[in-house]
Amino acid sequence: MKTLSNKNVAVIGAGRAGAACARLLLERGARVRVLEKNADAVPADLIESGAAVGSDQELAALGKVDLIVPSPGVARSHPILRRAADDGTPIWSEVELASRFLDCPIVAITGTNGKSTTTVLIGNLLAEAGRRVFVGGNLGTPLAEAAGKQLDVAVVEVSSFQLEWLDAFQPRVAVWLNLTADHLDRYASMEDYEDAKAALLRHLAADGVAVLNRDDERVWAHRRDVAGEVFSFGLDEVERGVFFDRGEAVIRRDGETRIALGGRPLQGAHNVENMMAAVAVGAVLDVPLEAIDRALTATTGLPHRLQFVAEKSGARYFDDSKATNVGAVEKSIASFPGGIILLLGGYDKGGDFRSLRRCMPGRVDRVVCFGAAGPEIAAQLSGAVECEVVGGVADAVRCAARLAGPGQTVVLAPGCASFDEFRDYAERGRQYRSEVERL
């Protein structure tokens, strides 16, 4: 599809990504219909610009369309998408649409955990090098908002949802951080989820570079699928790649250089992984070591990602509301030496909390299970740790306050989505922080 002018395009969903797509399509001369369950959720500026509005269930009334752009939250099983696939109607994800209107290379970052922090870090090191850079995607600002801007590079976080409908999308650098079970309420199996992530590598530019985690067995196995260069990162020494040595990242690519990772604002084992990935991208894109060093110093933790909240009655409270899968919870637990009161719960995405049993001994003292998934999580952890089952986040904080003594650490790392009680993980994190402050 060479032009969108006068094309009939349906955009499913009027959230931030869907609205950004609709605006881009309207600017390019398309006839746009926004399909949304709640018509009041469609931004007024879209209607004023000529977009039509319909229900996302109007399968029969949809009529002939030339293109469908689903928002990331719209599952492949949606009736409109199933019909479009059967009819051969093109379906583009938001990043697919946006990439067609960018004149700069794309650095795309995926993985189950650490995507947002790594995306921001890569954006910062490129900015420190004087590059005109866009930073966004699943992180918050849709890639569609970068279309038409004068940029040297776009750094975009991509979720598995955004990778489901790709065609011409071709990142110059594809970063795959890790893979643990997640979104199994949407995907039929772990393999199905993995295949959605692997689409990033299948669409890598012919002269592109895949930055892969050697320490993640499932990710590393996909190096065989990369047509271009593979430049890896991991803890152990390699002849070519990035590895960790006594607090430093060692970069071996056209020689050897070192940069300290210790003493940076980003703390914890999971952030060593994130920093090594960013350093690897910096090496691939010829970012001066001085710029990488400045970015590592300037980049602090993002909101709701293992953020310190307060100390109350000698116990320290941390907000890791972004830990929405079991793998992220494991990293949260590993970030503290022990004495943890762990808050788990929310809307279950099919996670297997039994895998936490192996990392809890000596670290987790008690677990407070809350929300819709609370009883099931408690059942899965029965016998491994003492669990309390409560209602929502406010109840969980009050329960944790009763249990926690001086020197202990209360960590909200839910391992679940937030949709049983909140709009998103950020709202959940804000509620948690507010409840802690009230103690």
Side-chain angles (χ1 to χ4, degrees), residues 218-285:
R218 298 187 81 138
V219 170
W220 189 229
H222 285 276
R223 69 190 183 279
R224 306 181 186 94
D225 305 330
V226 177
E229 178 188 352
V230 173
F231 191 66
S232 66
F233 64 94
L235 295 177
D236 294 337
E237 183 175 358
V238 288
E239 292 185 4
R240 181 177 175 82
V242 176
F243 63 92
F244 189 70
D245 179 44
R246 292 172 293 179
E248 293 182 319
V250 183
I251 310 158
R252 287 182 177 169
R253 189 173 193 267
D254 304 323
E256 178 178 306
T257 53
R258 290 172 172 260
I259 187 165
L261 301 184
R264 306 292 185 172
L266 294 175
Q267 297 291 308
H270 60 298
N271 277 321
V272 169
E273 179 181 283
N274 297 336
M275 288 188 285
M276 285 197 296
V279 166
V281 173
V284 165
L285 296 179

Side-chain angles (χ1 to χ4, degrees), residues 14 52 64 108 206 216 227 306 320 328 368 394 411 421:
K64 179 69 173 71
D216 189 301
L306 215 58
D320 201 12
V368 179
V411 184
E421 191 178 358

Side-chain angles (χ1 to χ4, degrees), residues 172-194:
R172 171 71 177 80
V173 180
V175 184
W176 193 349
L177 295 171
N178 45 55
L179 186 74
T180 59
D182 199 6
H183 301 301
L184 296 183
D185 57 333
R186 173 153 167 165
Y187 295 103
S189 65
M190 182 66 181
E191 289 71 26
D192 191 26
Y193 171 55
E194 180 175 350

Side-chain angles (χ1 to χ4, degrees), residues 225-413:
D225 305 330
V226 177
E229 178 188 352
V230 173
F231 191 66
S232 66
F233 64 94
L235 295 177
D236 294 337
E237 183 175 358
V238 288
E239 292 185 4
R240 181 177 175 82
V242 176
F243 63 92
F244 189 70
D245 179 44
R246 292 172 293 179
E248 293 182 319
V250 183
I251 310 158
R252 287 182 177 169
R253 189 173 193 267
D254 304 323
E256 178 178 306
T257 53
R258 290 172 172 260
I259 187 165
L261 301 184
R264 306 292 185 172
L266 294 175
Q267 297 291 308
H270 60 298
N271 277 321
V272 169
E273 179 181 283
N274 297 336
M275 288 188 285
M276 285 197 296
V279 166
V281 173
V284 165
L285 296 179
D286 299 319
V287 175
L289 202 62
E290 296 79 9
I292 297 175
D293 181 69
R294 290 194 298 270
L296 291 175
T297 298
T299 305
T300 59
L302 299 180
H304 314 298
R305 292 161 177 84
L306 215 58
Q307 266 194 323
F308 174 68
V309 178
E311 182 172 325
K312 298 285 184 174
S313 301
R316 290 163 59 83
Y317 289 75
F318 286 82
D319 169 13
D320 201 12
S321 184
K322 186 64 169 64
T324 58
N325 57 74
V326 176
V329 177
E330 292 179 358
K331 291 182 181 295
S332 293
I333 293 171
S335 299
F336 300 97
I340 299 171
I341 308 295
L342 183 63
L343 277 55
L344 294 173
Y347 174 82
D348 186 15
K349 298 188 290 179
D352 185 357
F353 288 84
R354 291 170 297 184
S355 64
L356 295 178
R357 290 170 170 265
R358 65 177 181 271
C359 62
M360 284 184 166
R363 289 182 182 270
V364 178
D365 292 344
R366 300 281 283 273
V367 174
V368 179
C369 303
F370 65 90
E376 175 59 25
I377 294 172
Q380 291 188 30
L381 297 178
S382 178
V385 65
E386 189 171 347
C387 296
E388 302 281 341
V389 179
V390 300
V393 166
D395 301 313
V397 172
R398 288 192 288 269
C399 180
R402 292 195 301 271
L403 298 173
Q408 289 190 297
T409 302
V410 178
V411 184
L412 172 69

Side-chain angles (χ1 to χ4, degrees), residues 31 104 124 148 152 159 225 375 430 432:
R31 293 189 289 265
C104 65
N124 287 348
D152 295 314
S159 69
D225 305 330
R430 289 192 294 270
Y432 170 76

Side-chain angles (χ1 to χ4, degrees), residues 33 55 57-64 79-80 83:
R33 175 179 287 186
S55 167
Q57 302 299 316
E58 60 171 25
L59 183 61
L62 183 60
K64 179 69 173 71
I80 290 177
R83 192 188 78 171

